[in-house]
Amino acid sequence: MEPSQRLEVASEISTGMAVGAHRKAARMKSIDAECCIVGGGPAGLTAAIFLARFRRRFVLIDAGESRAAWIPRTHNHPAFPDGINGDVLLDRMREQLAHFGAARQSGLVAGVRRKPEAGLVVEMENATVEARFLVMATGVTDRLALPPERPCFCAATRPTSC
Protein backbone atom coordinates (compact mmCIF):
# COMPACT_ATOMS: atom_id res chain seq x y z
CA MET A 1 0.00 0.00 0.00
CA GLU A 2 1.32 3.43 -0.97
CA PRO A 3 1.85 5.98 1.83
CA SER A 4 -0.84 8.27 0.37
CA GLN A 5 -3.35 5.38 0.36
CA ARG A 6 -2.55 4.60 4.00
CA LEU A 7 -3.15 8.27 4.86
CA GLU A 8 -6.54 8.21 3.06
CA VAL A 9 -7.61 5.02 4.86
CA ALA A 10 -6.41 6.38 8.21
CA SER A 11 -8.34 9.63 7.74
CA GLU A 12 -11.47 7.69 6.78
CA ILE A 13 -11.18 5.53 9.87
CA SER A 14 -10.55 8.51 12.15
CA THR A 15 -13.59 10.38 10.82
CA GLY A 16 -15.73 7.26 11.00
CA MET A 17 -16.56 7.45 7.30
CA ALA A 18 -16.61 4.20 5.34
CA VAL A 19 -14.50 4.02 2.20
CA GLY A 20 -17.56 3.69 -0.08
CA ALA A 21 -19.35 6.60 1.60
CA HIS A 22 -16.25 8.77 1.24
CA ARG A 23 -16.01 8.07 -2.47
CA LYS A 24 -19.75 8.65 -2.97
CA ALA A 25 -19.53 11.97 -1.09
CA ALA A 26 -16.66 13.01 -3.36
CA ARG A 27 -18.85 12.32 -6.45
CA MET A 28 -21.89 14.24 -5.16
CA LYS A 29 -22.24 17.75 -6.44
CA SER A 30 -23.11 20.54 -4.07
CA ILE A 31 -25.39 23.34 -5.23
CA ASP A 32 -25.62 26.66 -3.41
CA ALA A 33 -28.87 28.61 -3.72
CA GLU A 34 -30.97 31.17 -1.90
CA CYS A 35 -34.02 28.94 -2.16
CA CYS A 36 -34.74 25.29 -2.89
CA ILE A 37 -38.15 24.40 -4.33
CA VAL A 38 -39.22 20.77 -3.96
CA GLY A 39 -41.94 19.91 -6.46
CA GLY A 40 -42.28 20.65 -10.17
CA GLY A 41 -46.06 20.92 -10.46
CA PRO A 42 -47.98 24.18 -10.91
CA ALA A 43 -47.22 25.46 -7.39
CA GLY A 44 -43.49 24.74 -7.59
CA LEU A 45 -43.24 26.13 -11.10
CA THR A 46 -45.11 29.30 -10.05
CA ALA A 47 -42.65 29.84 -7.20
CA ALA A 48 -39.73 29.22 -9.56
CA ILE A 49 -41.06 31.62 -12.20
CA PHE A 50 -41.43 34.42 -9.64
CA LEU A 51 -37.97 33.78 -8.18
CA ALA A 52 -36.50 33.76 -11.71
CA ARG A 53 -38.27 37.03 -12.56
CA PHE A 54 -36.69 38.62 -9.50
CA ARG A 55 -33.28 37.17 -10.41
CA ARG A 56 -32.91 34.98 -7.33
CA ARG A 57 -30.65 31.94 -7.14
CA PHE A 58 -32.82 28.87 -6.66
CA VAL A 59 -33.00 25.19 -7.46
CA LEU A 60 -36.25 23.51 -8.52
CA ILE A 61 -36.22 19.77 -7.82
CA ASP A 62 -38.77 17.92 -9.93
CA ALA A 63 -39.50 14.18 -9.66
CA GLY A 64 -41.60 14.44 -12.84
CA GLU A 65 -44.73 13.03 -11.17
CA SER A 66 -47.03 16.04 -11.07
CA ARG A 67 -50.66 15.12 -10.56
CA ALA A 68 -51.55 18.02 -12.87
CA ALA A 69 -50.41 15.86 -15.80
CA TRP A 70 -53.36 13.53 -15.08
CA ILE A 71 -55.97 16.26 -15.51
CA PRO A 72 -57.67 16.36 -18.95
CA ARG A 73 -58.97 19.90 -18.32
CA THR A 74 -58.38 21.88 -15.15
CA HIS A 75 -60.45 24.89 -14.24
CA ASN A 76 -58.39 25.50 -11.12
CA HIS A 77 -55.69 27.76 -12.53
CA PRO A 78 -55.85 31.54 -13.04
CA ALA A 79 -55.91 33.01 -16.55
CA PHE A 80 -57.66 30.01 -18.14
CA PRO A 81 -61.41 30.60 -17.62
CA ASP A 82 -62.31 27.78 -20.02
CA GLY A 83 -59.81 25.42 -18.44
CA ILE A 84 -56.56 23.96 -19.75
CA ASN A 85 -55.14 20.48 -20.16
CA GLY A 86 -52.77 19.61 -17.30
CA ASP A 87 -49.86 18.58 -19.57
CA VAL A 88 -50.26 21.76 -21.63
CA LEU A 89 -50.28 23.87 -18.46
CA LEU A 90 -47.08 22.22 -17.18
CA ASP A 91 -45.40 22.62 -20.59
CA ARG A 92 -46.30 26.33 -20.74
CA MET A 93 -45.04 26.93 -17.22
CA ARG A 94 -41.77 25.07 -17.93
CA GLU A 95 -41.36 27.10 -21.12
CA GLN A 96 -41.90 30.35 -19.19
CA LEU A 97 -39.33 29.25 -16.59
CA ALA A 98 -36.83 28.40 -19.35
CA HIS A 99 -37.43 31.86 -20.86
CA PHE A 100 -35.77 33.29 -17.74
CA GLY A 101 -32.81 30.94 -18.17
CA ALA A 102 -33.74 28.78 -15.20
CA ALA A 103 -33.58 25.01 -15.23
CA ARG A 104 -35.18 22.17 -13.30
CA GLN A 105 -33.14 19.57 -11.45
CA SER A 106 -34.63 16.10 -11.99
CA GLY A 107 -34.65 13.81 -9.00
CA LEU A 108 -36.08 12.81 -5.66
CA VAL A 109 -35.33 14.37 -2.30
CA ALA A 110 -33.94 11.87 0.20
CA GLY A 111 -33.93 14.21 3.18
CA VAL A 112 -33.78 17.74 4.53
CA ARG A 113 -31.78 18.85 7.55
CA ARG A 114 -30.99 22.15 9.21
CA LYS A 115 -27.47 23.48 9.09
CA PRO A 116 -25.92 24.37 12.46
CA GLU A 117 -25.72 27.99 11.33
CA ALA A 118 -28.51 29.36 9.11
CA GLY A 119 -30.16 27.47 6.29
CA LEU A 120 -30.86 23.93 5.20
CA VAL A 121 -29.31 21.07 3.31
CA VAL A 122 -31.56 19.22 0.87
CA GLU A 123 -30.17 15.80 0.05
CA MET A 124 -30.71 14.04 -3.25
CA GLU A 125 -29.13 10.87 -4.58
CA ASN A 126 -26.36 12.60 -6.56
CA ALA A 127 -26.39 16.13 -5.19
CA THR A 128 -26.98 18.29 -2.16
CA VAL A 129 -28.53 21.73 -2.22
CA GLU A 130 -27.62 24.26 0.46
CA ALA A 131 -30.22 27.00 0.71
CA ARG A 132 -31.46 29.61 3.12
CA PHE A 133 -35.13 28.99 2.28
CA LEU A 134 -37.19 25.93 1.34
CA VAL A 135 -40.50 25.83 -0.54
CA MET A 136 -42.30 22.49 -0.25
CA ALA A 137 -44.64 22.23 -3.25
CA THR A 138 -45.04 18.47 -3.32
CA GLY A 139 -48.77 18.48 -4.05
CA VAL A 140 -51.06 15.58 -3.31
CA THR A 141 -50.92 11.88 -3.95
CA ASP A 142 -54.00 9.85 -4.74
CA ARG A 143 -54.48 6.65 -2.79
CA LEU A 144 -56.92 4.14 -4.17
CA ALA A 145 -58.36 2.24 -1.27
CA LEU A 146 -61.05 0.21 -2.96
CA PRO A 147 -62.56 -2.76 -1.19
CA PRO A 148 -62.05 -6.03 -3.10
CA GLU A 149 -65.76 -6.28 -3.95
CA ARG A 150 -65.67 -2.93 -5.80
CA PRO A 151 -64.02 -3.04 -9.21
CA CYS A 152 -61.52 -0.40 -10.26
CA PHE A 153 -62.27 1.07 -13.66
CA CYS A 154 -59.42 2.45 -15.72
CA ALA A 155 -59.76 5.34 -18.13
CA ALA A 156 -56.81 5.07 -20.49
CA THR A 157 -53.88 4.45 -18.12
CA ARG A 158 -55.17 6.49 -15.19
CA PRO A 159 -56.84 4.46 -12.43
CA THR A 160 -59.93 6.02 -10.96
CA SER A 161 -62.39 4.98 -8.30
CA CYS A 162 -66.15 5.28 -8.55
Side-chain angles (χ1 to χ4, degrees):
M1 185 180 283
E2 298 286 323
S4 64
Q5 290 173 320
R6 277 192 293 258
L7 180 61
E8 181 180 357
V9 170
S11 74
E12 288 169 356
I13 292 169
S14 69
T15 61
M17 185 182 287
V19 175
H22 178 71
R23 290 194 179 121
K24 184 177 180 182
R27 286 193 310 257
M28 289 183 69
K29 70 178 176 179
S30 180
I31 304 167
D32 185 44
E34 289 177 77
C35 183
C36 181
I37 304 165
V38 179
L45 286 165
T46 298
I49 289 166
F50 276 91
L51 288 171
R53 288 181 60 216
F54 293 114
R55 296 186 176 106
R56 298 295 188 191
R57 285 181 305 109
F58 67 91
V59 173
L60 171 66
I61 301 172
D62 183 4
E65 299 175 359
S66 175
R67 188 180 183 283
W70 290 29
I71 303 171
R73 181 163 299 281
T74 180
H75 295 274
N76 197 25
H77 200 277
F80 298 101
D82 296 325
I84 184 169
N85 175 276
D87 280 324
V88 173
L89 175 65
L90 291 170
D91 287 344
R92 285 187 182 186
M93 294 182 81
R94 290 175 186 139
E95 185 179 310
Q96 185 175 358
L97 182 62
H99 174 75
F100 291 106
R104 296 174 300 134
Q105 177 81 29
S106 295
L108 295 171
V109 172
V112 178
R113 60 183 162 80
R114 287 186 187 268
K115 291 171 54 175
E117 58 281 3
L120 314 139
V121 176
V122 179
E123 298 167 347
M124 300 171 56
E125 185 176 319
N126 296 325
T128 60
V129 179
E130 293 191 26
R132 186 168 173 209
F133 301 102
L134 175 66
V135 174
M136 295 295 292
T138 55
V140 298
T141 302
D142 292 321
R143 286 186 285 178
L144 298 177
L146 296 176
E149 64 275 3
R150 279 189 66 198
C152 177
F153 296 96
C154 295
T157 59
R158 308 286 190 222
T160 59
S161 62
C162 350

